[in-house]
Amino acid sequence: MTNDVRTDDAGDQSGRFSEPVQPEQSGQSGQSGQQVRLKAGDAELTVDPAHGCRLTSLRIGGTELLRQGDKYGCFPMVPWCGRIELGQFRNGGERHQMPVNHPPHAIHGTGRDTAWRTARADASSAAFTYDLAAPWPYPGRVTQLVELAPDAVTLTMGVEAGSDSFPAQAGWHPWFLRNLGSGEDVRIDFTPGWQEERGDDHIPTGRRIDPLPGPWDDCFGMPDGVDVTLTWPGALELKVASRTEWVVIYDEQEAAVCVEPQSGPPNGLNTLPRLVTPIDPLEISTTWTWRTLA
């Protein structure tokens, strides 16, 4: 399928978050107030832990790839992705109500609205954490690892339960600029196995359908792993890959397009719950690789 886009693994990353705290490049370890800047070759990346641990900038050879602004960049979606229907989910016999921040639903988790702590950082990698707290009803910890190379960035997220088990999801919501200012708009290329049929309320109906042409605000299944390619003709190709099979594509805005690898579909806390337990954390990873076309 082509319309004007690719990300990496969601496999076992055990032990990747247990490294000792190291001094960081920008700011003090253990604090959340200062941005962390990473560099590898001509790739430069900035993370703002105080602002939901979002990537606020990704520059390749001086060219910015992410839409700028408080709501944009690339933010982690955790402990759920996309919409929860009416903001409600069940865990066994308990029903929980999340804040309805996108009426009539709750959207994109609480992590993007939380100050994270910088656990460690060096010149090209950093780790961040925050503790799950109200309005999320279960104790736990979320960790994000960012690893930059000259031709790639890998993002890894883990969700751990503090005591009781709970359903959770994790993923990323990058806002890639539609146009880099030097040529044609971006093209998105991917071959999904199916599309989740979307109801008028933007909640998946539960039916899998043949993929439809865009524009999209839709979830797709890629059973062999997320594999989407973004091409800015004559400028850059960026591939988004992940072992996870779920990706949301959103290209209805003029300024940017979104390719969102995630551990389950929208409303998945209700329809496809993945339990996080004290001995079985949720872990997901995505890698973006790029090459210049000029």
Side-chain angles (χ1 to χ4, degrees), residues 43-155:
E44 301 171 281
L45 184 150
T46 304
V47 185
D48 188 349
H51 191 201
C53 206
R54 71 184 61 216
L55 280 57
T56 59
S57 176
L58 174 60
R59 300 176 70 87
I60 310 300
T63 298
E64 180 61 63
L65 301 190
L66 298 177
R67 185 177 181 185
Q68 299 298 285
D70 287 347
K71 298 191 299 182
Y72 303 112
C74 171
F75 59 82
M77 298 184 292
V78 66
W80 73 86
C81 301
R83 294 168 175 83
I84 302 176
E85 187 173 12
L86 303 179
Q88 299 177 356
F89 74 94
R90 285 187 177 276
N91 185 19
E94 298 180 326
R95 181 190 294 273
H96 301 287
Q97 177 70 56
M98 295 294 97
V100 175
N101 58 353
H102 195 77
H105 308 305
I107 196 169
H108 295 335
T110 59
R112 64 175 178 157
D113 300 316
T114 301
W116 297 48
R117 183 179 69 88
T118 302
R120 65 165 184 85
D122 56 32
S124 60
S125 68
F128 309 89
T129 68
Y130 86 94
D131 291 332
L132 291 168
W136 186 253
Y138 298 99
R141 173 165 288 188
V142 180
T143 305
Q144 178 169 231
L145 177 63
V146 181
E147 299 171 289
L148 183 65
D151 61 351
V153 61
T154 296
L155 308 173

Side-chain angles (χ1 to χ4, degrees), residues 186-264:
V186 70
R187 296 198 308 262
I188 303 173
D189 298 296
F190 66 124
T191 307
W194 70 86
Q195 180 173 338
E196 295 290 326
E197 183 182 59
R198 173 165 52 89
D200 292 339
D201 59 359
H202 280 255
I203 298 294
T205 66
R207 291 185 61 235
R208 293 180 175 181
I209 61 175
D210 291 337
L212 300 174
W216 299 297
D217 182 10
D218 293 284
C219 182
F220 297 89
M222 304 190 78
D224 294 326
V226 171
D227 183 2
V228 184
T229 302
L230 291 151
T231 304
W232 292 267
L236 190 78
E237 177 187 271
L238 183 144
K239 297 179 181 290
V240 176
S242 178
R243 289 185 197 169
T244 189
E245 63 180 319
W246 306 98
V247 63
V248 169
I249 306 291
Y250 176 61
D251 67 347
E252 295 180 347
Q253 285 197 7
E254 182 178 353
V257 299
C258 304
V259 180
E260 309 164 32
Q262 50 194 68
S263 64

